[in-house]
Amino acid sequence: MTATGAARVLAKRHRWAPVLLGSVQTTLIFTLAALAVPLPRIGRELDLERADLILLSAAYGLTFAGLVLFGGRLADRYGGRRALTAGLVLFAAASAAAPLAPGIVALLAARFAQGAGAALVAPAAMAVLRAVFPSPTDYGRAMATWGGLSVLGATAGNLLSGVISALLSWRWTFAVPLVVAVAALALTPRLLPDTAPNRHRRLDLPGALLATVGITLASYGLVVTEARPWSSAGVLVPLLGGTALFATFWYAEQLARDPLLPPRFLLDRRRALALTAIALSACGTAMTFVVLSLHLQQARDWSQLRTSAAFLPFAVALIASGRAAGPFIGRYGARAVTAAGLGTGAAGLVLLAFTGLDAHTWYAYGLLPGLVLLPAGTAASFAGAAVLATAGIPEQQTGLAGGVLNTAMEFGPTVLLAVLLTLGSDAWSLAATGAALAVVGLLHHRTK
């Protein structure tokens, strides 16, 4: 290939590769939220109990969160593009099987498989993104945009799933991840650069097993608290077992020659705060959709379409804030933007807690202000925190960084959400999440 031809290929990759990778990342989070609004309809159609619905809602997130650290190591070991392709194949196959499921067992299996595929795709996509933008400055700009894609995917999942299930069927919601996965598989060889594998890196299979089973068990134990009391064996056994396994994992990682998650990786104060900001922002967004979707359909007797329409200002504010976050980070710095975003998101959650759950309050007064402030803040905090969480990471650990980043994203809507929803009323849960965002924002502001 001539120098001119090589330059054209490189320019094409810089233009379209981020679009392809961003679409994939957005779709992974879309799939996490895709069953939230139509869940009651699925329960009626398949004759499911509350415990079945809770497990179905959490299945994708459980395997995603449990396997994503190992997926990041696989991406570092075998190369980002290879891991991305393998993950997309599994994700596409599961997305094709899910709408054909005749019952809860087949549907659960498909959702677990989707999460396993996503756990490989998400960190691999970040590894490929690093290859597209090898310059630290360019990669930092790309991560500022990347940080907002997850909350955008969650918003799109909640909005579109309600519309699709109301007009067609909940089974058609799986068409979105299937189409995106197939298109990504077709375009990957043409648009994405190959990434060199690191054959010298060990896979740390014992660490992977401990982390996967520990995270999955503990997350499951917290999720089922919605249907069972904390003192029940169904909660205590997985929760205590998962906690013990994860403690064993943390001890074993300090002794391993090539650990799955080097302990010093999380000991950096700025990175730890950034990951906390991501987890809390994801939790606040997920909680808002869960609480308000139920409130609008049950307390106000709104339809699925009207409920989805109520979140349109949320989506507009989210997109606007996400577009502005990159330039603001370039001007004021990622730390300042993250702190400001967390404070704004906290204000939105507190407003929703005190005015949004009154069935007699007008939408424009009780809900709209919070539905604008919250996404504006979380989009900014996601963008800034993504830059902080990946700053200064060597290229050979990009997959690891992607795994940790996505673990934080999944930790919020699963573990933190389950804990905070048990605090009492929905208003208290929203207010407590807002307070947590404000505290972490203040810590970011004070951290140098």
Side-chain angles (χ1 to χ4, degrees):
M1 182 182 293
T2 65
T4 303
R8 287 176 179 172
V9 170
L10 187 61
K12 184 178 181 181
R13 283 177 174 172
H14 272 270
R15 184 169 64 252
W16 293 109
V19 176
L20 175 60
L21 293 170
S23 299
V24 169
Q25 175 67 13
T26 303
T27 303
L28 297 183
I29 310 301
F30 169 95
T31 307
L32 176 67
L35 295 187
V37 176
L39 204 60
R41 176 172 290 190
I42 297 173
R44 291 192 298 270
E45 184 175 322
L46 300 182
D47 193 24
L48 303 180
E49 297 180 356
R50 178 177 173 80
D52 296 325
L53 291 176
I54 291 171
L55 183 56
L56 179 59
S57 176
Y60 177 86
L62 287 175
T63 48
F64 195 164
L67 290 168
V68 71
L69 281 177
F70 188 48
R73 273 313 202 199
L74 288 174
D76 289 336
R77 174 69 170 78
Y78 294 105
R81 197 172 83 171
R82 291 181 183 178
L84 178 70
T85 301
L88 284 171
V89 169
L90 176 57
F91 186 74
S95 299
L100 304 177
I104 182 62
V105 175
L107 186 56
L108 275 174
R111 288 291 281 176
F112 281 129
Q114 272 188 318
L120 187 53
V121 170
M126 280 188 59
V128 176
L129 188 71
R130 180 66 177 269
V132 175
F133 297 105
S135 164
T137 302
D138 292 339
Y139 183 65
R141 292 196 190 101
M143 286 309 302
T145 301
W146 193 265
L149 295 177
S150 296
V151 68
L152 177 61
T155 304
N158 282 282
L159 286 176
L160 293 180
S161 64
V163 175
I164 292 171
S165 62
L167 297 180
L168 298 170
S169 165
W170 60 268
R171 296 178 185 271
W172 280 96
T173 59
F174 292 100
V176 175
L178 176 60
V179 170
V180 173
V182 171
L185 282 169
L187 294 173
T188 289
R190 297 174 56 189
L191 297 181
L192 302 184
D194 201 3
T195 49
N198 187 350
R199 300 293 186 184
H200 300 292
R201 185 170 296 282
R202 298 174 181 268
L203 282 181
D204 186 17
L205 292 177
L209 182 62
L210 287 170
T212 299
V213 179
I215 292 173
T216 304
L217 274 179
S219 299
Y220 172 79
L222 288 168
V223 166
V224 297
T225 56
E226 290 191 45
R228 300 175 182 175
W230 282 85
S231 58
S232 68
V235 171
L236 288 178
V237 171
L239 187 58
L240 295 177
T243 302
L245 285 174
F246 198 73
T248 305
F249 162 76
W250 187 256
Y251 176 75
E253 292 301 277
Q254 299 180 58
L255 304 178
R257 291 178 54 189
D258 194 0
L260 178 72
L261 177 61
R264 64 182 179 275
F265 189 87
L266 295 179
L267 295 180
D268 180 272
R269 180 180 172 84
R270 288 181 300 176
R271 183 171 297 126
L273 278 175
L275 294 171
T276 303
I278 289 172
L280 281 171
S281 297
C283 174
T285 301
M287 180 180 294
T288 299
F289 275 105
V290 170
V291 169
L292 292 187
S293 293
L294 291 174
H295 168 74
L296 294 175
Q297 293 182 66
Q298 294 176 355
R300 303 197 184 199
D301 199 26
W302 286 18
S303 66
Q304 288 186 5
L305 281 176
R306 191 178 180 187
T307 300
S308 294
F311 287 100
L312 285 177
F314 189 104
V316 173
L318 180 73
I319 294 170
S321 179
R323 290 180 64 87
F328 278 139
I329 289 172
R331 184 172 182 178
Y332 300 106
R335 182 174 57 85
V337 171
T338 303
L342 289 168
T344 305
L349 282 169
V350 171
L351 279 175
L352 289 172
F354 286 101
T355 65
L357 300 181
D358 185 350
H360 303 290
T361 303
W362 288 356
Y363 172 83
Y365 164 74
L367 287 170
L368 186 58
L371 287 177
V372 171
L373 286 176
L374 175 61
T378 53
S381 64
F382 259 98
V387 174
L388 293 172
T390 55
I393 292 175
E395 186 173 354
Q396 62 269 25
Q397 287 190 331
T398 307
L400 168 64
V404 173
L405 193 68
N406 280 277
T407 299
M409 291 178 185
E410 296 304 310
F411 185 82
T414 52
V415 177
L416 287 180
L417 180 63
V419 171
L420 288 165
L421 283 176
T422 62
L423 293 180
S425 67
D426 289 339
W428 274 108
S429 298
L430 289 170
T433 308
L437 284 174
V439 170
V440 176
L442 183 61
L443 292 174
H444 269 282
H445 179 70
R446 292 186 171 182
T447 300
K448 301 299 182 182

